[in-house]
Amino acid sequence: MHAVRARAGIPIPASDLFGIDGRARLEKTALAGPYAQGVTSLLKLIDELDTEEALFNTRIAERLQGHAGYQAIQQQPGIGTILAAILVAEIGDIHQFASPDRLCSWAGWLRGTTSPTPSSAAATSPSRAAS
């Protein structure tokens, strides 16, 4: 979309080209034949993908509706339905963790702890290992 617009030499001043304002500007922009067709095609594709995403979001929400962990994790700021579903799938049975600290450690969420992995690529560099 950006490339089509750039090739046509038409800037669209919107911070989010695919948001409501940017989309309205795109639809109003007069473009020559192939450019107009390209933008129309891409907007239709975006609409199709948005429809599919909405369908899967609905299915996920329905499937996890009664899951206590799914509901609880969404109480955290910035965690919506999709990230909550991903976390539920990744964590699995919450009872496998003896405590919240164990879960946080497994997920790498504990503050002030050191990671068991080296902090730099240099620490694992083959050239340094040979020295």
Side-chain angles (χ1 to χ4, degrees):
M1 190 73 67
H2 295 280
V4 169
R5 202 187 75 224
R7 275 187 244 124
I10 299 174
I12 297 178
S15 60
D16 181 7
L17 189 58
F18 303 108
I20 294 170
D21 184 48
R23 174 100 184 221
R25 289 174 192 237
L26 270 173
E27 290 170 352
K28 290 180 192 173
T29 302
L31 294 168
Y35 297 119
Q37 185 178 3
V39 167
T40 300
S41 243
L42 291 169
L43 289 174
K44 284 180 184 177
L45 182 58
I46 289 168
D47 290 342
E48 286 295 319
L49 292 172
D50 285 347
T51 300
E52 289 295 314
E53 179 187 11
L55 175 66
F56 283 108
N57 287 346
T58 300
R59 286 182 181 170
I60 289 167
E62 287 171 356
R63 186 146 194 195
L64 293 172
Q65 184 177 12
H67 193 285
Y70 177 72
Q71 301 301 325
I73 197 80
Q74 288 181 68
Q75 301 308 308
Q76 296 300 312
I79 298 182
T81 57
I82 300 301
L83 184 53
I86 291 168
L87 289 169
V88 165
E90 287 291 328
I91 292 168
D93 181 9
I94 195 73
H95 297 100
Q96 67 180 317
F97 300 100
S99 69
D101 284 346
R102 296 284 179 146
L103 169 61
C104 290
S105 176
W106 171 82
W109 291 340
L110 286 180
R111 293 183 186 183
T113 61
T114 58
S115 170
T117 57
S119 61
S120 72
T124 59
S125 169
S127 63
R128 298 217 183 230
S131 314

